[in-house]
Amino acid sequence: MRVLSIQSCVSYGHVGNSAAVFPMQRLGHEVMPVHTVVFSNHTGYGAWGGQLISGDVVRDIVAGIDARGGLADVDLVLSGYQGGNDIGDAILDAVALVKSRNPEAIYACDPVLGSAASGCFVAPEVQTLIRDRVVPQADLITPNQFELGFITGTDPHTIDETLAAVDVVRASGPSTVLVTSVFRPDAPADTIEMLAATADGAWVVQTPRLPFKRNGSGDVAAALFSSHFRGSGDAADALARTAGSVFGLLRNTHDADASELLLVESQDEYVAPTTTFAVTQVR
């Protein structure tokens, strides 16, 4: 599989392309990263070096790939955080170009907007961009539960409410939805769930919730699920494999008390997760 991944890049730590590219490569996929920022580290540290990449530069890079014939067999376009209309437009242009070269390609968007703990942390311009222009163009989206609610104007908590919000967003464009970080009031303590839905049904997987957070785990989950699903078309299998891999990555990071994801050290988890979790069909 050939993947065009248009995301941020950091030298220290693992977020954006610095989180998504290696796990897909470890699975045997050919990944072409296009960076939207080049920073020393993620901005959660409060200080960083580097610079933003303009939409025109992104277009130039994608055009250069196309000139080599590199877009003809792209199966998956993946995007993450989008800082504004400039980058958003460049990503949508890249998606349109890829699909003109290969109509079977799909666009997977991680609509990064915020979280239940922090609320919406992107500018109003980005909120409008993601909700009104990007999500409707995507074939697959990977929001967390908060982002799903923001996009659909709902406030999902239960599984039924989450499924109803998924139906709303699927009616707007994307046929496949992975909801990460699902919390529901009747779930066992210290657990977390993910939910995947397509036209064929919906499935939930539950894993232990480790008592910490590290940036980049959502980027890894989006990359793994998107590539697994594009390869097999089986959402339940993609969900199970993603849950096992991400849990293994987080467990290793937690056990080592590492400040950043142990992305490289956990590489075997992407191919053969050491822990598997049951997937339950809920529709």
Side-chain angles (χ1 to χ4, degrees):
M1 182 187 305
R2 185 180 291 269
V3 182
L4 181 68
S5 184
I6 310 176
Q7 302 194 55
S8 58
C9 174
V10 297
S11 296
Y12 177 81
H14 300 290
V15 298
N17 271 337
S18 302
V21 171
F22 177 68
M24 292 189 288
Q25 290 175 326
R26 186 64 178 82
L27 288 169
H29 304 312
E30 182 66 45
V31 186
M32 300 182 293
V34 177
H35 303 323
T36 57
V37 308
V38 181
F39 285 169
S40 56
N41 49 268
H42 70 72
T43 58
Y45 282 100
W48 62 91
Q51 64 180 359
L52 301 168
I53 306 300
S54 72
D56 284 341
V57 171
V58 170
R59 288 186 184 88
D60 285 346
I61 293 170
V62 173
I65 296 171
D66 187 44
R68 309 282 82 75
L71 300 184
D73 57 351
V74 167
D75 300 290
L76 171 66
V77 181
L78 178 65
S79 72
Y81 172 76
Q82 300 184 27
N85 288 324
D86 181 48
I87 288 297
D89 288 337
I91 290 173
L92 292 177
D93 287 348
V95 171
L97 183 57
V98 167
K99 290 191 172 187
S100 74
R101 302 295 186 250
N102 178 17
E104 300 302 314
I106 70 168
Y107 171 35
C109 168
D110 184 7
V112 179
L113 294 166
S115 68
S118 62
C120 196
F121 54 60
V122 300
E125 173 189 325
V126 178
Q127 298 170 24
T128 302
L129 166 71
I130 296 296
R131 183 187 61 228
D132 298 341
R133 297 206 291 123
V134 175
V135 166
Q137 295 298 316
D139 301 290
L140 186 161
I141 62 170
T142 60
N144 60 38
Q145 196 173 27
F146 169 84
E147 291 162 341
L148 175 67
F150 186 91
I151 292 166
T152 58
T154 63
D155 185 25
H157 294 282
T158 67
I159 291 296
D160 286 345
E161 289 169 347
T162 303
L163 287 170
V166 165
D167 289 341
V168 171
V169 78
R170 288 188 66 249
S172 74
S175 58
T176 302
V177 179
L178 171 71
V179 187
T180 62
S181 304
V182 173
F183 297 97
R184 56 185 173 93
D186 56 335
D190 299 322
T191 64
I192 190 170
E193 294 171 323
M194 291 195 290
L195 181 150
T198 71
D200 297 324
W203 300 264
V204 167
V205 63
Q206 185 179 95
T207 70
R209 177 161 57 93
L210 298 169
F212 83 131
K213 180 183 182 299
R214 291 294 180 268
N215 292 86
S217 58
D219 300 321
V220 175
L224 291 175
F225 181 84
S226 299
S227 58
H228 287 322
F229 180 74
R230 180 63 184 88
S232 69
D234 187 331
D237 178 69
L239 181 63
R241 295 177 68 183
T242 300
S245 295
V246 173
F247 178 78
L249 167 63
L250 288 173
R251 181 193 56 210
N252 293 345
T253 303
H254 174 266
D255 291 350
D257 194 24
S259 60
E260 294 285 344
L261 291 175
L262 294 185
L263 193 81
V264 175
E265 295 89 336
S266 302
Q267 61 183 281
D268 291 343
E269 294 286 348
Y270 317 136
V271 179
T274 53
T275 307
T276 58
F277 300 95
V279 171
T280 303
Q281 186 162 10
V282 292
R283 187 166 66 190

